[in-house]
Every structure is written in structure tokens, then in C-alpha cells.
Amino acid sequence: MTQAVPTLAVDDLKTVFETRAGAVKAVDGVSFTVTAGRVLGLVGESGSGKTVTGFSIMGLVDPPGRIASGHILFKGRDLVGLSEQEMRRLRGARIAMIFQDPMMTLNPVLRIETQMVETLQAHISIGQREAHERAREALGMVGIPSPEERLKAYPHQFSGGMRQRVAIAIALLHRPDLIIADEPTTALDVTIQGQILYEMQRVCRQIGTALIWITHDLSVVASLADEICVMYAGKIVEQGSVDMVLDRPAHPYTKGLIGSVPSRNRKGVPLAQIPGMTPSLLNLPTGCSFRLRCTRADAACVAPPEMTTLEAGRRVRCFHPVHEAAA
């Protein structure tokens, strides 16, 4: 039986930014796959490289940044090296991105209907009436009440949560094969966040869209993702099914992230912290980039660790992985 081609396969991706102080390796050898209807969570602290990974896939890395090497296979087609014109045909139509701030997507002086219709007509030949119906359907799909009336509104007439729903609806207009969501619920309250996560999961299952959800919030990926990649200093340090990684973290950094979640600490006990600070990407320590903050580090960690496969396909970049029973 022939195995289906994944929607996206990133292989040894390296993205660098040339500065006067030297080359910053923002993404350093990242590899993962995501298939139709599945959700991949890309997790890490600020500066870990997760957003640059998303921008690299979209072809939105501007000078002095560049993709130094690696492959980004979208439906078997390598996006690295495509012209801007070729990438423009894919963006919005087959690959969509949802940004953290919906006002990066929405024009404040145009009605929602105008923006959605123009998005449709930019990629396909479609009449005004049919485009209007598609736009109304997309608003309804993400849970916006009275979509017919809301099409006539301007972005400032929506709350923050509603604006983010509109941005998601625009991303869904062409029923893309892949959506990259860059922390789209960070600025929203917990109730609205939960509603949007539910709608995104439901819609992606319904239309078979692959979803990459970029976040620093482990509680979000726990309820949304099927698989998870944990990033640190431009590298993936652990990846596997979300249940396995969050219940039994193998990398000390993943264990530290989970241990620092307030809900896991007892009342009156100080919040657990990962010692030290994330190193500068211009001055990473030799070997394992986490070793200066790791309680399990020893002389072996001066050499760079490779990704090794543990049980059930889970992979970890560590010489001394943690072995714990499921919580």
C-alpha cells in the first residue's frame, strides 16, 4: 500500500540572519511533518525560532534573513528556491497564515465583506454574489453570529476576539491545505480562546486542513494538538505525540517547561523555574545549547547531541533523557 504524501515535510531547515556581529542561526536543522486534518504544536520560549520557522515556510523571511539550507516540501513540491511570484500564488490560496495581531490581516478602512471578496478574487475567478456567499459561510464557520450583518461592518466595530475570528475566516476562505497560526489567541481572554481553539480544531477536521499552531502556552497545545515539537535556541529538542510528551517529558527542558506551569504547583510552594536565561543565538555554548541551565548535564554534553528515537516514534535531542512513568 502506498503511503500518502504528507501535506508538509520540513527537512533540516536552516534560516540565518546576517548581522554585523555575525550570523544568527534562528532556525538550525529543524525537521518535522504534518498531514491532512492533523494539528502540530510548535512550542518554545520567545526567541526559540518557532515564528521564524513559520515565516520560512511562508517565504516571508526578508533580508538580512535567508534560508541557508534544507527543504520545505509542500505536497511533495519544494518551496525553497521558488520565485516570489510562485509563492504568491500559494499564499492565501493553498497555504494561509494567521498572525498574533488580527489588525496585521485586516485593513481598518475597508468593510469586512470588501476584504474577504478581494481575498477570494485575488486567486480565483469568482462573481460578486458567489464571493459574498462564500464570505458569509466562512464567518458562520468560525462562529460569528449574524454573519450577513457582520459583513457590512468595519474591523473597529468588532471586539478583539471577533477580529481574530474574522482573520481565521479569511484564512479559511480558499479551504487551504495548510494553515500556520502564530499565537493567534495570546491576547484573548481564556473563554474566547477556548471557543476559537474548538472552532479551529473542528474546521480543520471538517475540511482536512493541516494546522501548525505556534505558541508558548502548553495548555493550548494540550487541548488542541495531535503532535508537538518543543524548540530551544533554534533546534527541536523533543517531538512526539502530545499525550506522550506532556505526560512523560524526556528532555530536561520540556520537563522544566511543564514544571513551571502554575497549575502543577501546590499552593504556598514557590513556582518552579528553569535556572539561567536563554542564551544569545550569537553566542551559543558549545555542544548542547541547554547544558548551562540543565541539572543533568555532564562532560558528554560538550558535544552536540543528535536526535534519537525513543518508544512509539518519540524523538529527543539529549544524552541524558528523563525516564518517568506517566503522570
Side-chain angles (χ1 to χ4, degrees):
M1 185 176 176
T2 310
Q3 191 172 6
V5 176
T7 301
L8 184 76
V10 176
D11 180 31
D12 198 25
L13 177 65
K14 297 182 180 180
T15 302
V16 301
F17 289 82
E18 302 292 346
T19 70
R20 292 180 180 179
V24 176
K25 297 179 180 178
V27 179
D28 190 9
V30 164
S31 300
F32 60 81
T33 61
V34 57
T35 55
R38 302 280 287 178
V39 181
L40 173 74
L42 208 54
V43 180
E45 295 173 279
S46 296
S48 61
K50 54 191 189 297
T51 294
V52 178
T53 300
F55 275 55
S56 299
I57 295 168
M58 294 293 294
L60 295 175
V61 177
D62 295 323
R66 62 183 176 85
I67 295 177
S69 63
H71 302 280
I72 303 171
L73 300 177
F74 173 67
K75 302 285 247 181
R77 182 187 186 188
D78 199 345
L79 303 183
V80 177
L82 289 187
S83 67
E84 177 59 27
Q85 186 177 11
E86 290 173 307
M87 282 302 300
R88 197 177 293 122
R89 291 196 195 101
L90 293 174
R91 284 192 216 111
R94 300 190 63 197
I95 307 174
M97 190 162 191
I98 305 167
F99 297 95
Q100 183 172 341
D101 182 2
M103 294 308 287
M104 290 181 67
T105 303
L106 302 175
N107 188 323
V109 300
L110 295 178
R111 296 182 189 273
I112 297 301
E113 179 181 20
T114 303
Q115 299 186 55
M116 297 184 78
V117 168
E118 287 182 353
T119 300
L120 281 165
Q121 293 177 336
H123 294 281
I124 58 175
S125 178
I126 187 173
Q128 192 76 15
R129 180 175 295 179
E130 186 181 351
H132 174 90
E133 287 300 312
R134 293 251 313 246
R136 185 176 60 79
E137 180 186 334
L139 289 185
M141 193 181 292
V142 296
I144 291 182
S146 306
E148 185 68 41
E149 297 174 23
R150 294 309 225 164
L151 281 172
K152 306 299 182 186
Y154 290 91
H156 74 268
Q157 295 175 290
F158 289 81
S159 66
M162 283 298 184
R163 280 198 294 266
Q164 194 59 276
R165 287 174 188 257
V166 173
I168 293 170
I170 290 174
L172 293 169
L173 275 175
H174 291 279
R175 296 181 175 250
D177 299 299
L178 173 68
I179 294 177
I180 301 170
D182 185 13
E183 305 203 49
T185 60
T186 299
L188 306 179
D189 63 72
V190 176
T191 303
I192 300 300
Q193 183 184 77
Q195 292 172 1
I196 288 179
L197 292 177
Y198 170 78
E199 295 293 346
M200 283 298 296
Q201 193 174 46
R202 180 184 63 80
V203 169
C204 285
R205 297 279 193 270
Q206 182 179 324
I207 66 179
T209 294
L211 175 63
I212 298 175
W213 194 277
I214 298 171
T215 184
H216 63 273
D217 192 339
L218 290 171
S219 63
V220 169
V221 294
S223 59
L224 175 71
D226 301 298
E227 298 175 40
I228 183 173
C229 292
V230 181
M231 291 191 69
Y232 184 81
K235 295 179 181 289
I236 291 177
V237 295
E238 184 168 2
Q239 63 187 118
S241 71
V242 68
D243 291 336
M244 186 172 290
V245 171
L246 296 185
D247 285 345
R248 290 181 291 161
H251 197 281
Y253 175 63
T254 311
K255 181 176 172 62
L257 284 180
I258 296 170
S260 64
V261 174
S263 61
R264 295 180 64 90
N265 288 269
R266 297 192 307 276
K267 185 177 181 179
V269 177
L271 191 65
Q273 298 182 44
I274 301 174
M277 296 179 63
T278 306
S280 166
L281 295 178
L282 277 169
N283 189 29
L284 290 173
T286 56
C288 176
S289 55
F290 186 63
R291 68 181 177 85
L292 299 182
R293 306 175 68 187
C294 182
T295 57
R296 302 171 68 88
D298 60 15
C301 303
V302 178
E306 299 294 329
M307 270 292 207
T308 55
T309 302
L310 303 180
E311 77 282 11
R314 180 163 54 148
R315 306 179 72 216
V316 63
R317 189 185 301 275
C318 184
F319 289 113
H320 309 295
V322 181
H323 297 286
E324 291 184 351

